[in-house]
């Protein structure tokens, strides 16, 4: 397994991390046994970074990861690092009620996460979205107190813009920014990524396959289930979907020339954008995990990168990455 360091102050982690959200929420039904087997397979393959959110399935995802860690082999379990997002408020019907970044809430969320995960510390802790009613300095300050108390090892951020990144970094060391970054989501390249690099902050990139859209496995006539939030995503709607899958077809030609899958090529492209970037792959099954790990063996030279750029130019995606109601919560889009 290749490794990378999250920023100048963060931990050394596997070059690919495992994003566990889909094992509990937002992509329809998941197989619990297969999910745990996939986490075990990831750990056995040397993946050390497991990313979750306390609101994924209203705690279900943390409980799932906790079970997987308890039942994993000791060597793999000892190397596992947890990255946890907090702050999103839910209701019993699965609805969303905003975000809470108050210091007291930060510590409350952490207490429950520690219990559900069955760990004595969280390796990277971050608010999922900036609470507009609480200065980021207060939220980060509360996480810093958790670090001092030994409950958290490193402070992360999620989906914040360049200005907020600077404000947060002035309070305490920030290990990494978790943010969407893929061939068809490249908004961070203008200001956010340069600012992170200036400040010595790493990037954990989620959505590297754009929720399966550029995985090479999404069919044009696929019908999404009622529990699949992609049914509301602009990029998966009507003509947008068809245009985006045209981009995938163009990428497939490049991938075939490399003897790789579309997913491997898309992941390898993110890996090639810098040693300070760690892609998170949202594999829910062992076969998808195996495919994703194959990206680590794919080397893209300058000609390959130029061919990928020609196939999927920056800004070519049709549709926003979230519905308008969710885009409004993204500090990174302001």
């Amino acid at each position: 397994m290749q490794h990378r360091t999250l920023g100048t102050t963060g931990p050394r982690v596997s070059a690919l991390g495992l994003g566990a959200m889909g094992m509990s929420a937002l992509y329809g039904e998941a197989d619990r046994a297969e999910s745990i087997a996939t986490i075990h397979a990831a750990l056995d393959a040397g993946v050390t970074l497991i990313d979750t959110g306390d609101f994924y399935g209203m705690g279900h995802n943390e409980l799932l990861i906790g079970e997987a860690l308890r039942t994993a082999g000791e060597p793999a379990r000892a190397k596992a690092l947890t990255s946890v997002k907090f702050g999103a408020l839910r209701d019993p019907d699965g609805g969303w009620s905003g975000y809470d970044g108050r210091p007291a809430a930060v510590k409350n969320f952490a207490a429950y996460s520690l219990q559900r995960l069955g760990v004595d510390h969280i390796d990277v802790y971050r608010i999922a979205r900036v609470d507009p009613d609480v200065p980021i300095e207060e939220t980060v300050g509360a996480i810093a107190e958790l670090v001092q108390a030994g409950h958290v090892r490193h402070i992360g951020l999620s989906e914040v813009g360049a200005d907020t990144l600077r404000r947060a970094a002035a309070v305490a060391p920030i290990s990494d920014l978790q943010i969407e970054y893929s061939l068809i989501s490249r908004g961070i390249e203008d200001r956010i990524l340069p600012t992170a690099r200036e400040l010595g902050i790493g990037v954990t990139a989620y959505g590297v396959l754009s929720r399966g859209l550029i995985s090479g496995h999404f069919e044009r006539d696929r019908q999404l289930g009622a529990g699949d939030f992609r049914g509301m995503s602009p990029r998966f709607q009507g003509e947008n979907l068809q245009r985006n899958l045209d981009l995938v077809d163009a990428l497939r030609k490049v991938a075939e020339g490399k003897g790789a899958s579309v997913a491997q090529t898309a992941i390898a492209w993110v890996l090639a954008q810098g040693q300070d970037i760690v892609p998170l792959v949202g594999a829910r099954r062992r076969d998808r995990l195996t495919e994703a790990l194959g990206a680590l063996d794919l080397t893209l030279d300058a000609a390959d990168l130029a061919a990928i750029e020609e196939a999927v130019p920056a800004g070519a995606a049709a549709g926003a990455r979230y519905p308008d109601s969710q885009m409004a919560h993204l500090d990174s889009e302001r």
Side-chain angles (χ1 to χ4, degrees), residues 112-326:
Y112 282 87
S113 288
L114 288 166
Q115 181 69 22
R116 285 190 290 258
L117 288 165
V119 297
D120 61 8
H121 69 272
I122 296 166
D123 293 286
V124 187
Y125 202 48
R126 69 186 88 242
I127 190 165
R129 301 286 187 269
V130 174
D131 181 344
D133 298 322
V134 178
I136 193 64
E137 290 86 352
E138 293 184 17
T139 301
V140 169
I143 306 176
E145 291 178 4
L146 289 171
V147 172
Q148 293 170 356
H151 302 306
V152 169
R153 293 282 170 82
H154 303 280
I155 304 171
L157 293 169
S158 177
E159 286 289 354
V160 305
D163 294 339
T164 303
L165 200 58
R166 290 187 185 282
R167 288 170 53 196
V171 175
I174 306 297
S175 67
D176 68 303
L177 167 64
Q178 187 173 123
I179 195 163
E180 186 168 358
Y181 188 38
S182 74
L183 272 168
I184 64 171
S185 295
R186 296 175 60 177
I188 72 169
E189 294 177 344
D190 293 335
R191 292 189 62 220
I192 296 173
L193 184 55
T195 301
R197 285 174 167 162
E198 175 191 337
L199 297 172
I201 296 171
V203 169
T204 42
Y206 77 87
V208 293
L209 296 179
S210 300
R211 299 160 186 85
L213 181 58
I214 60 172
S215 67
H217 300 298
F218 200 93
E219 301 293 337
R220 290 180 183 269
D221 58 353
R222 179 174 173 179
Q223 298 298 310
L224 297 170
D228 195 322
F229 93 107
R230 290 174 293 187
M232 298 182 294
S233 172
R235 289 184 176 172
F236 287 83
Q237 304 302 310
E239 184 59 29
N240 284 351
L241 175 62
Q242 302 308 316
R243 289 171 56 191
N244 290 329
L245 291 179
D246 287 343
L247 297 174
V248 175
D249 287 342
L251 181 61
R252 193 186 310 276
K253 295 178 181 178
V254 180
E256 289 173 348
K258 294 290 293 182
S261 72
V262 174
Q264 289 167 343
T265 305
I267 296 168
W269 180 88
V270 178
L271 284 164
Q273 301 313 301
Q275 288 290 316
D276 53 350
I277 299 174
V278 174
L280 301 173
V281 295
R284 299 196 293 173
R285 302 183 341 224
R286 283 169 286 180
D287 59 338
R288 294 288 192 251
L289 172 67
T290 298
E291 179 184 21
L293 291 173
L296 294 169
D297 298 321
L298 180 60
T299 300
L300 301 176
D301 60 23
D304 297 326
L305 293 171
I308 292 171
E309 184 78 24
E310 183 177 357
V312 188
R321 57 193 182 105
Y322 286 105
D324 290 344
S325 60
Q326 295 181 39

Side-chain angles (χ1 to χ4, degrees), residues 6-146:
L6 295 182
T8 56
T9 64
R12 190 159 178 78
V13 301
S14 51
L16 287 182
L18 179 65
M21 181 186 76
M23 297 177 180
S24 298
L26 301 178
Y27 292 132
E29 293 295 324
D31 184 313
R32 184 180 186 85
E34 180 61 23
S35 295
I36 291 175
T38 300
I39 295 173
H40 286 170
L43 293 172
D44 289 343
V47 173
T48 61
L49 184 64
I50 302 178
D51 183 77
T52 184
D54 63 9
F55 48 91
Y56 293 166
M58 285 72 81
H60 177 277
N61 204 238
E62 289 182 320
L63 290 169
L64 182 77
I65 291 170
E67 180 179 346
L69 292 177
R70 285 194 306 274
T71 55
E74 176 57 32
R77 181 170 63 248
K79 295 178 181 178
L81 303 176
T82 53
S83 167
V84 179
K85 292 180 290 298
F86 68 88
L89 304 177
R90 308 295 301 272
D91 63 37
D93 297 319
W96 303 83
S97 308
Y99 298 90
D100 193 344
R102 295 172 301 150
V106 172
K107 295 173 183 179
N108 177 78
F109 289 134
Y112 282 87
S113 288
L114 288 166
Q115 181 69 22
R116 285 190 290 258
L117 288 165
V119 297
D120 61 8
H121 69 272
I122 296 166
D123 293 286
V124 187
Y125 202 48
R126 69 186 88 242
I127 190 165
R129 301 286 187 269
V130 174
D131 181 344
D133 298 322
V134 178
I136 193 64
E137 290 86 352
E138 293 184 17
T139 301
V140 169
I143 306 176
E145 291 178 4
L146 289 171

